Structures are given as C-alpha cells and as structure tokens.
Amino acid sequence: MLDNSQIERIEPTPVDSAKVRQPMYAARKKIFPNRASGSFRQFKWLVMAVTLGIYYLTPWLRWDRGSFSPNQAVLLDVANRRFYFFFIEIWPQEFYYVAGLLVMAGVGLFLITSTVGRAWCGYTCPQTVWVDLFLVVERAIEGDRNARIKLDAGLWTPRKLVLRVSKHAVWLAIGALTGGAWIFYFADAPTLLGELFTGTAAPVAYITVAVLTATTYTFGGLMREQVCTYMCPWPRIQAAMLDESSLTVTYNDWRGEPRTRHAKKVLAAGQLVGDCVDCNACVAVCPMGIDIRYGQQLECITCALCIDACDGVMDKLGKERGLIAYATLSDYNANMMLATAGGSSSVNPALVRTDDGLFSDRVAHFHIRKIFRPRTYVYMAMWSLIGLGLLYSLLTRDRLEINVLHDRNPQFVTLSDGSIRNGYTVKLLNMIPEPRTIVVTMQGLEGADIVVVGDDIPAGRSFAIPVEPDRLKMLRVFVRQPADQIRAPAQTFKFRVEDRASFESNEYTATFNAPETAR
C-alpha cells in the first residue's frame, strides 16, 4: 500500500481550468492522453472492435437471394433503387421503413441519454471510435504520453520525421480503408474492389473515397476533441435529456475534498483530508483534456476513462473505489448534504464515514432500479411500439402491387360504334426475386373489356402476362364499354391482379369516364 506522497503526480493542463480556460474561438492546444487500463477501457476496446468489424466486414457478407437478385447481404442498390438487408428488400415507395428506423434511433438515443448520459458519445459514436483507433496508432509509433510530449516539443530530427511520416501514413491508410468500405455498401464489394485497382470504377467512387479519406484523417487525427466540442450539436442538446436520476461521470468531492498529496502532515496539523491525492491521473487519460473535478461540462463524453485511472490510484492507496464514478445527481446531492452537515459547513469527509473508516449507511449508492422511472418507461414504450409497428408492417406487406394512372387528356374517346374508351397506364410490381405470371382481371363495369396496347392479347375481361423477377411491368391498356351499358358519367371499377401460384393478390379502384350524352 502506498502513501499519498508516493503517487506520481502528472502535470497536465486541463482545458476547462478556470485559470486557463480559453474563449470559444481560440487556437487548439494539443492533448496527449495517457493510456488507461481498467474495466471501462476494456469495454471500450470491445466496442471499438465490434463496431469497426461491423463497418468494415458487412459489405463482404453474402446472402443467397436466388439467381435474379444480388447476393450481397447489405446493399444500397442506387441504380436499381433497392435496399437489401439480409432477407429484407426495400423498394423506393417503402422508404417509410427507413424513416421508422431513424425515428427508433432517435428515441433510442433519448432513452440511453436519459438513463446513462452520453454513453453514445463515449462508446459508440464514430468520432469516438475512430479517434480511439488513431490513438492506438499514435501510441504504437510515438510512444505513450510523455514520449509524445517530448517528441512534439523537440527539434525536427530524422527520427522525428520518420515517426511523424509513419504515423500520418497509417492514418491516411485508415482513412482510405474507411472510404473504401463505405462505397462497398453501394455496389457488389468484390467487383468494385477489382474495378478500383484496375482504374475502371466510376469517377464518383474515387471521389467518395478521396472525400472520406480526407474527412476521416482530419476529424480522427487532426481535430479530434474539437469535433465534439465545436461541431457536434449533441453536447448542447443533451442537457434537455438529463434529469436528477440520469447517470453521469461524477467526481464525488463529498469524499475527495479537501485534496492533498501530504495526508500525514495535514492530519498531524489537525486539518481535514479527503481521498483525492491530486495526482491528476484523471486529467492525463481524458481524450477531451478536461478535469472532471470541475464538475459536469459539455466537453465530457462520459467515456469513463477517468474512472479507471482514479480506481487504479485508489487501489494503490488501499481506499475504496468510486472517488470518480457513474452517479446520479440526486445521489450526489444527498451525499453532499451529508458531508456538509446539511449545507452548514464545508465538505468534511469524516461525516460520511463511521469511526472504523467505512462509509456510513446514510451514504447514497447507485442502484439499477433508479434508472427505471416514468420517463424511461415512456421512451421504452415509444421505441417498442414503433419497432413492433414496423415489424408487423414488414411481415404483412404485399409483394405484389398494382398502380393505375388514368389518361388525363383525353379522359375518354367515343368510338365509331358509339362505345366509350378510356386509356390507362397499368404498373405491375413483382416484388420478389422470382419470375411470375400475373393474371389481371377487371371487376365491375358491366359489358366492358380490356385491350392491351402493343401486345398480342385478345380483348376480354381478364388476361395473363409474365413479369420479370424484382421488376416493374408497365402496360398501356384501353377499357371499352358499349354506350347502352353506361350508367353514369363517372363509374368505378377494379383492376385485380393475382399470382395463382402463390395466391397473392391486390386490387386498384379506377374510374371510367364518359360523356353525359352517352347514357
């Protein structure tokens, strides 16, 4: 067990220090975060591996849809206006599914933020994930915090030049891989990869890779925390999502203050001593360069690396973990009232402990049930209802559709025998990756028949026509009705389509127009 004075003191300058805090528009000061170790850091490694794996590997997954559709599991086929996601195929008119997923993502983000704070920012945001990846490269090439600071402050030598060129080259390679992976979502990945290297890919592919390479390199390598602080709107919005029961990364000054590195001398002098030894380990590991001991601030992404750093120091001192921890504002306020004797004095850590040095039973601790409250139940209910609605719609949607457009001019034609003819554009949608023979039948409109223009199909009230897999078939048809059968200037009837092999059917109600004198 170490003494307070034996804990190494790091000398970072937090960007949120009241003494050095810069105005909103100021030149960036480089941040050299130390490498953290602990449970939250391990969790972040896992999240980074999973999210990057999903992003880079998903375009290479295959899904057999038969010989008439692409076999890429996830594909946004812009040319054919289709979105494929494993067994799901979305047509343009079904974009409401995508809109529904975006609404679910928004409600889910509200739910996560209201319960565990900016967990999205700290663990799964692409900016956080790629910055973590770039920092791994930086540490591997230039060393940990002290080595990087020394290298940055030193003169340009051949060694520094080699290290910097190597680092930026790897960053650019990661940016190129990021842009390359993105375009693979819009075309068959193996085919497009070959075209990229042979120079036969479309110009837009090279432009997209170049743009994403530049943005990934700039945001992840050069701007880093500035993207979160200045460019992202979420830090400003999140305040509306939090309440007293939301978990946030908190410095528990009710047990940490007064902080000192010389506890024995201070105690001998009869003064109060808190658990914080002012080692600044929490500041040194922060990728945003802030000091969490100044309280909650918009720069904090709640990555919890400061918790790992502080817990490591507490372990060395033989003290309880949790000086910096996830806590709710309600628990923090209750413990502050206890440590300040109801607000009548400054923080006295002795008030939160018993005579044997353990925490008092009156100290509030987090329990999982505290995050389950009416607000979270409302968010969960909204999220679940939207998801169930989308799922029901997806499972019950029609894969055979018909759309009919009546001619606008002329609305009807009187033929030489006195009969009335109306023209229609009929669109048959075969929304499965298999060929079909569709039977089109006219229901209602007594005495009328259908003539298919440009096709050798005899006139009648029904006809069968083949439709290619996963395609739209457009027909030009005329509907004729004898004058003595016309009952009104505007009559309704139905076009019914049916696939007798699968028993799927659909209907469209159309209008037949006629002159007043035809009756």
Side-chain angles (χ1 to χ4, degrees), residues 144 214 243 272 303 367 469 519:
D144 209 346
D243 58 26
L272 299 175
C303 63
H367 192 279
R519 290 182 294 165

Side-chain angles (χ1 to χ4, degrees), residues 276-306:
C276 179
V277 298
D278 203 20
C279 63
N280 290 328
C282 54
V283 182
V285 300
C286 180
M288 300 298 293
I290 65 172
D291 189 341
I292 191 62
R293 293 172 296 181
Y294 289 115
Q296 268 297 311
Q297 49 222 280
L298 79 119
E299 293 94 344
C300 179
I301 60 173
T302 66
C303 63
L305 295 183
C306 54

Side-chain angles (χ1 to χ4, degrees), residues 128-144:
T128 298
V129 173
W130 262 270
V131 167
D132 261 359
L133 179 60
F134 277 47
L135 283 173
V136 169
V137 174
E138 184 173 273
R139 292 192 188 102
I141 295 175
E142 297 183 352
D144 209 346

Side-chain angles (χ1 to χ4, degrees), residues 237-249:
I237 300 173
Q238 66 151 350
M241 299 290 104
L242 300 176
D243 58 26
E244 290 187 346
S245 298
S246 301
L247 277 177
T248 57
V249 174

Side-chain angles (χ1 to χ4, degrees), residues 28 136 173 357 373:
R28 176 179 183 257
V136 169
R373 54 196 190 280

Side-chain angles (χ1 to χ4, degrees), residues 398-402 428-441 462-470 495-507:
D398 293 323
R399 297 287 80 196
L400 174 63
E401 291 188 5
I402 178 173
L428 305 176
L429 282 76
N430 177 17
M431 304 172 73
I432 64 172
E434 298 176 5
R436 281 176 161 181
T437 298
I438 306 300
V439 178
V440 182
T441 305
S462 178
F463 64 90
I465 191 163
V467 181
E468 295 180 359
D470 205 29
F495 284 101
R496 177 180 173 82
V497 292
E498 182 181 6
D499 177 12
R500 293 177 178 172
S502 64
F503 302 102
E504 283 188 87
S505 63
N506 209 323
E507 294 179 346

Side-chain angles (χ1 to χ4, degrees), residues 53-75:
I54 291 174
Y55 177 75
Y56 287 116
L57 298 179
T58 296
W60 301 93
L61 299 179
R62 303 291 100 181
W63 189 269
D64 184 14
R65 300 186 182 90
S67 57
F68 299 101
S69 293
N71 66 346
Q72 187 162 309
V74 180
L75 176 65

Side-chain angles (χ1 to χ4, degrees), residues 140-375:
I141 295 175
E142 297 183 352
D144 209 346
R145 183 175 184 274
N146 292 337
R148 301 202 307 276
I149 293 175
K150 183 178 179 180
L151 182 70
D152 187 70
L155 298 175
W156 281 95
T157 63
R159 177 180 178 275
K160 180 175 180 178
L161 181 62
V162 169
L163 292 178
R164 286 294 168 88
V165 170
S166 300
K167 179 182 73 173
H168 287 276
V170 176
W171 282 358
L172 285 170
I174 293 173
L177 290 174
T178 302
W182 177 258
I183 64 173
F184 292 151
Y185 284 91
F186 296 85
D188 182 65
T191 303
L192 182 54
L193 179 63
E195 293 175 349
L196 283 174
F197 283 101
T198 58
T200 57
V204 68
Y206 295 103
I207 294 173
T208 302
V209 171
V211 170
L212 290 180
T213 299
T215 53
T216 304
Y217 170 77
T218 302
F219 293 165
L222 304 181
M223 296 185 66
R224 293 184 180 174
E225 76 286 346
Q226 289 187 306
V227 174
C228 305
T229 303
Y230 299 114
M231 297 176 62
C232 181
W234 189 240
R236 282 83 181 167
I237 300 173
Q238 66 151 350
M241 299 290 104
L242 300 176
D243 58 26
E244 290 187 346
S245 298
S246 301
L247 277 177
T248 57
V249 174
T250 306
Y251 168 62
N252 293 309
D253 48 358
W254 52 266
R255 62 168 280 197
E257 299 297 323
R259 69 185 79 158
T260 179
R261 290 185 53 77
H262 306 286
K264 291 182 179 180
K265 293 181 180 180
V266 175
L267 286 172
Q271 298 178 8
L272 299 175
V273 174
D275 288 343
C276 179
V277 298
D278 203 20
C279 63
N280 290 328
C282 54
V283 182
V285 300
C286 180
M288 300 298 293
I290 65 172
D291 189 341
I292 191 62
R293 293 172 296 181
Y294 289 115
Q296 268 297 311
Q297 49 222 280
L298 79 119
E299 293 94 344
C300 179
I301 60 173
T302 66
C303 63
L305 295 183
C306 54
I307 297 179
D308 282 341
C310 188
D311 284 349
V313 174
M314 293 297 104
D315 290 344
K316 293 177 182 179
L317 295 173
K319 297 181 179 180
E320 300 94 336
R321 292 185 168 195
L323 177 57
I324 301 175
Y326 272 106
T328 64
L329 181 60
S330 58
D331 287 345
Y332 171 81
N333 287 337
N335 291 334
M336 278 297 291
M337 292 295 289
L338 180 63
T340 58
S344 62
S345 66
S346 59
V347 173
N348 183 355
L351 296 178
V352 299
R353 295 184 182 274
T354 60
D355 293 338
D356 55 5
L358 300 177
F359 282 122
S360 168
D361 293 337
R362 292 186 296 168
V363 172
H365 297 284
F366 172 74
H367 192 279
I368 189 66
R369 67 173 179 271
K370 293 182 179 180
I371 68 174
F372 293 102
R373 54 196 190 280
R375 182 177 184 175

